[in-house]
Every structure is written in C-alpha cells, then in structure tokens.
C-alpha cells in the first residue's frame, strides 16, 4: 500500500504547511497507478484539492488521508461504489472508519491464521503419509453462516446496528463456540428437512416450533432477530439464490417450506 504518511520529507512538508503532490507523486508514494487515481477522481472517490494553472491534479494532506481510508477498504474487499457511499455518508468520520477497519482487519487476520494452521496440518499429514479424517479435511471452511447476511437482512427489515452487534458477539467466539453454533444450525436444518420429507404442513405447530427455534438461534448467537426481521429472512430464503441453494440442497422445496413455517410463526 506504500507509505503515504510515513515518508520523512512528506511529514516535514506537512509540518511546514505547504506540501502538495502531483498525481505521479501520489502514485509513487501509495503504489496506486496513475490510471487508478484518475479513475478515483472521476468517481468522486478521491478528488484532488485543486489543480495547477496547467490543469494538473494537486493533492493535499486531506486528500491523502481520504486515499488511505479508501485503500484500507479496498484491502478489505469492498467494491468502489460501496466505498463512495460510505466515505460520502454524512455520518462518516475518519476516526470511526479507522476503528471499523481495524476490527475488520483483525477478523481477516484471524481467518488467515486459521487457514495457515489448516494448511500446515495438511502439509504435515501429507509429508508423514497420515490420512486426515473427513471432518478435519474441511472443518476450517465451516458451513453456511447466517452472520454473512445479517447486515443485508437488517437493512431491509430491522435495526441497522445488528451488524455491529453480531460482530461484537462473534469476535469473542472460539473454535469450540463455532462448532457448537454449527451443530445447532445443522440440527435445525435437519429438523425442517425431516418435517418436509414426512409431509408435515409448514404451518403446523411442529413446523412453527422449529421456526421459532431457528429465530432464537439467530437471536442468541448473532443479533437481535425480531419476528418481523425473521419473516424477511424467510423471504430471502426463497428469493436469494445463496439461501435457496443452502436449503434446497438438503431437500427440494425446503427453502419454500422454511419460508412458510417462519411466516406462520411470525404471524402468531
């Protein structure tokens, strides 16, 4: 990412209060291509403070701070259009963005650490000719995780603070906690599938009890899930291919069954 704010000449210039940089300077310091910087300008993502008499872009301290924020978000995998929305939001502040980016990077680091351990274990097993168990082969990759989508669910049907609440809770989860969460989710999914296979109506007491169990699982493990938000989630199970695939791979038509069971439970 470069050393945007670490170059001693840059720091001295800022202290003296007269430093400006051409697009080539910024490209050299940040490692971002001139073409990309032009694109950022066109998008309104990072626009230089002013231009020279000849029309050249001239960047100042605040522009570099904004570029740093953008590059952190890019490193985290955010799309440019989404970054524009975030940094232009009237509630956006540099300090809050840095706090959020730090939290997300820590989560990313922890995930990479888990993957490194898994790769090392696989290498050792390969070198020693040891056959790993089927579970150990894929354990690190987990299974469907509702927390991947809770921000989307809550934007449509509930409290937008749910993402932060879910992150706060799950940041403390150990590997054993995640195994327990996974087992609970698996048990609920199997219970739904069994009801469908046995011809039980989705609006029956049996089905709505499983639906309520599912809602409580999300509410207790990830974020506050009201019945209204849960009903919205049920709709996504049918309308969103990611969810539909998760349910229907267990049993054809299960996504619709779960949606209907959740709707019946939410109306009670």
């Amino acid at each position: 990412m470069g050393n945007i704010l670490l170059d001693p000449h840059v720091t001295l210039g800022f202290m003296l209060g007269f430093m400006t940089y051409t697009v080539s300077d910024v490209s050299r310091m940040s490692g971002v291509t001139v073409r990309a910087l032009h694109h950022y300008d066109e998008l309104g993502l990072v626009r230089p403070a002013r231009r020279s008499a000849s029309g050249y872009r001239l960047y100042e301290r605040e522009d570099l701070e904004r570029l740093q924020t953008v590059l952190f978000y890019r490193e985290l995998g955010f799309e440019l259009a989404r970054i524009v929305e975030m940094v232009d939001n009237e509630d956006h502040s540099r300090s809050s963005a840095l706090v959020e980016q730090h939290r997300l990077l820590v989560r990313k680091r922890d995930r990479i650490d888990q993957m490194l351990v898994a790769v090392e274990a696989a290498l050792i097993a390969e070198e020693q000719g040891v056959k790993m168990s089927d579970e150990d082969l894929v354990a690190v990759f987990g299974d469907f995780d509702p927390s991947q989508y809770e921000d989307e669910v809550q934007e449509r049907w509930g409290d937008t603070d749910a993402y932060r609440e879910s992150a706060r809770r799950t940041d403390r989860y150990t590997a054993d906690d995640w195994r327990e969460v996974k087992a609970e989710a698996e048990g609920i999914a199997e219970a739904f599938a069994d009801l469908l296979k046995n011809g039980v109506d989705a609006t029956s007491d049996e089905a709505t009890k499983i639906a309520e169990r599912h809602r409580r699982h999300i509410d207790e493990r990830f974020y506050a899930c009201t019945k209204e938000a849960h009903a919205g989630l049920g709709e996504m199970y049918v309308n969103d291919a990611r969810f539909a695939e998760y349910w229907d791979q267990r049993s054809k038509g299960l996504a619709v069954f779960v949606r209907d069971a959740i709707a019946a439970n939410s109306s009670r």
Side-chain angles (χ1 to χ4, degrees), residues 152-159 226 228-229 231-233 235-236:
E152 182 176 350
V153 174
Q154 295 298 326
E155 281 178 9
R156 297 187 188 186
W157 294 287
D159 182 2
T226 64
E228 181 183 10
L233 180 58
E235 290 296 331
M236 288 179 68

Side-chain angles (χ1 to χ4, degrees), residues 11 50 244:
T11 303
R50 53 196 178 91

Side-chain angles (χ1 to χ4, degrees), residues 69 92-101:
T69 298
H92 172 81
S93 72
R94 178 170 166 77
S95 59
S96 62
L98 287 171
V99 169
E100 181 71 0
Q101 288 166 341

Side-chain angles (χ1 to χ4, degrees), residues 23 27 36 49 51 73 112 134 136 201 238:
V23 68
S27 176
R51 291 179 182 262
Y73 279 128
I112 291 173
D134 293 347
D136 287 341
D201 192 280
V238 175

